[in-house]
Amino acid sequence: MKYKLRIAISPCPNDTFIAYGLIHNKVKTTNYEFEVQYLDIEQLNDLALLNQADIIKVSTSIIPEISSNFKILNSGAALGHNCGPLFISKSKSLSLSPKTKIGIPGIHTTAFRLFKRYYGDNFIIEQLIFSDIEVAILDNRIEAGLIIHENRFTYSEKGLEKICDLGEKWHQETNLPIPLGCIAISNKLPQNVLKEMDKAFEESIKYAYNNPKETMDFVKKHSQTMDDEVAQKHINLYVNKETISLSKEGKQAILKFISDTDFKNSSTFDEQNLFV
């Protein structure tokens, strides 16, 4: 009998790259059957907050709110080194006011928590699918936006300007990488399953590196952009040694970020038992 696990990730290149080997049984595991969902990051956050997945990609900013139901895998995280979500507009000299309309990829995203940290939230905030934010600025539906994922490689060719790299700002403040997202796993699963999935994600990433053409065919199938170069740049930036296995510095960055983030249910948050 197969052990069924519900996995939810985004269709973005770094997620599909790291998960390909696992969900296609390219790495050695016990007899598992995977039910996979591909969702936008804010949809993933909402699903995790409802505790409706066994393994799920989440924004780092919601970890405290889900920590009573999930642990964080040591493998699979996305950390940016001196780079992260971008705050963009048509003009670098945009004058911000409470009437400024700003598009965000989700209220629970790391991008928005970072933005509030450095700019506050006294603006007209509009939540959009991340891939729609550039067009919304160009169409004058919003005046500025926070972009994530592949869009950091496409905004400039559309004539948009970077006001701030929030990951760079975080690095200047803390001298740490910015922990954008992590793979969470239900703590209701047996301990041996948690450990095996942690190792399986690590092996899946190594499989992707060793079998790039096979993996990239799958990545391109799901990517919001059909541009091979953009997808590869995204992977090169956010799939790194911290993705394979979180270092002491990587874990420190996660703990720093969530300890500085406003969240609910703080009494249930136990950083000593956060990681698998």
Side-chain angles (χ1 to χ4, degrees), residues 165-202:
D165 185 323
L166 298 176
E168 186 178 295
K169 199 169 184 67
W170 166 267
H171 182 83
Q172 291 169 351
E173 177 192 352
T174 66
N175 201 34
L176 291 168
I178 180 62
L180 301 168
C182 302
I183 303 294
I185 186 166
S186 174
N187 59 18
K188 303 299 188 295
L189 294 170
Q191 185 65 23
N192 67 299
V193 175
L194 270 63
K195 293 290 187 182
E196 186 171 6
M197 287 299 104
D198 199 20
K199 184 64 176 176
F201 264 92
E202 180 179 338

Side-chain angles (χ1 to χ4, degrees), residues 10-23:
S10 84
C12 295
N14 62 313
D15 282 4
T16 49
F17 183 84
I18 68 174
Y20 172 77
L22 175 66
I23 61 183

Side-chain angles (χ1 to χ4, degrees), residues 3-53:
Y3 201 119
K4 190 170 186 177
L5 292 175
R6 298 167 298 164
I7 296 180
I9 59 174
S10 84
C12 295
N14 62 313
D15 282 4
T16 49
F17 183 84
I18 68 174
Y20 172 77
L22 175 66
I23 61 183
H24 290 88
N25 298 305
K26 302 293 184 178
V27 298
K28 186 177 180 181
T29 62
T30 307
N31 201 22
Y32 292 102
E33 178 183 340
F34 301 112
E35 178 185 304
V36 186
Q37 285 182 283
Y38 301 95
L39 301 169
D40 173 71
I41 185 58
E42 189 68 347
Q43 292 175 310
L44 292 170
N45 289 334
D46 289 340
L47 200 67
L49 289 166
L50 293 171
N51 192 23
Q52 292 184 354

Side-chain angles (χ1 to χ4, degrees), residues 35-266:
E35 178 185 304
V36 186
Q37 285 182 283
Y38 301 95
L39 301 169
D40 173 71
I41 185 58
E42 189 68 347
Q43 292 175 310
L44 292 170
N45 289 334
D46 289 340
L47 200 67
L49 289 166
L50 293 171
N51 192 23
Q52 292 184 354
D54 296 312
I55 301 172
I56 186 167
K57 174 67 173 289
V58 297
S59 294
T60 302
S61 57
I62 71 160
I63 288 175
E65 295 179 57
I66 66 171
S67 61
S68 60
N69 294 315
F70 293 92
K71 286 183 176 290
I72 302 304
L73 294 185
N74 294 288
S75 187
L79 277 73
H81 292 269
N82 210 29
C83 62
L86 301 182
F87 183 35
I88 65 167
S89 182
K90 285 185 176 180
S91 171
K92 285 184 178 181
S93 57
L94 175 71
S95 179
L96 296 173
S97 77
K99 293 183 179 180
T100 304
K101 292 182 179 179
I102 297 176
I104 67 167
I107 59 172
H108 299 298
T109 59
T110 301
F112 186 49
R113 297 296 174 95
L114 271 176
F115 180 79
K116 288 197 294 181
R117 182 186 188 92
Y118 298 118
Y119 291 93
D121 59 359
N122 188 26
F123 308 101
I124 300 172
I125 302 298
E126 296 197 16
Q127 184 169 298
L128 301 168
I129 298 295
F130 81 91
S131 54
D132 293 341
I133 291 174
E134 291 171 325
V135 174
I137 297 173
L138 293 169
D139 290 346
N140 297 314
R141 286 181 279 132
I142 57 176
E143 293 160 84
L146 300 178
I147 56 170
I148 58 175
H149 302 321
E150 304 101 305
N151 293 117
R152 72 174 293 117
F153 302 109
T154 61
Y155 75 93
S156 61
E157 65 189 35
K158 296 175 183 175
L160 298 172
E161 300 279 354
K162 178 181 73 175
I163 297 173
C164 179
D165 185 323
L166 298 176
E168 186 178 295
K169 199 169 184 67
W170 166 267
H171 182 83
Q172 291 169 351
E173 177 192 352
T174 66
N175 201 34
L176 291 168
I178 180 62
L180 301 168
C182 302
I183 303 294
I185 186 166
S186 174
N187 59 18
K188 303 299 188 295
L189 294 170
Q191 185 65 23
N192 67 299
V193 175
L194 270 63
K195 293 290 187 182
E196 186 171 6
M197 287 299 104
D198 199 20
K199 184 64 176 176
F201 264 92
E202 180 179 338
E203 293 302 315
S204 183
I205 298 165
K206 292 176 181 177
Y207 182 89
Y209 278 128
N210 291 330
N211 299 272
K213 185 182 184 307
E214 176 187 343
T215 304
M216 288 304 294
D217 286 343
F218 175 71
V219 168
K220 288 182 285 185
K221 175 183 175 183
H222 289 280
S223 178
Q224 295 290 332
T225 175
M226 296 305 291
D227 190 306
D228 295 1
E229 184 180 356
V230 169
Q232 189 62 60
K233 283 181 177 179
H234 183 78
I235 292 166
N236 292 345
L237 194 64
Y238 290 123
V239 181
N240 49 50
K241 64 179 183 178
E242 296 289 357
T243 313
I244 298 173
S245 183
L246 284 167
S247 67
K248 183 178 179 180
E249 182 187 51
K251 290 182 179 181
Q252 181 187 356
I254 291 171
L255 293 173
K256 169 67 176 173
F257 185 80
I258 60 181
S259 68
D260 286 0
T261 303
D262 56 309
F263 56 81
K264 303 173 185 175
N265 303 325
S266 59

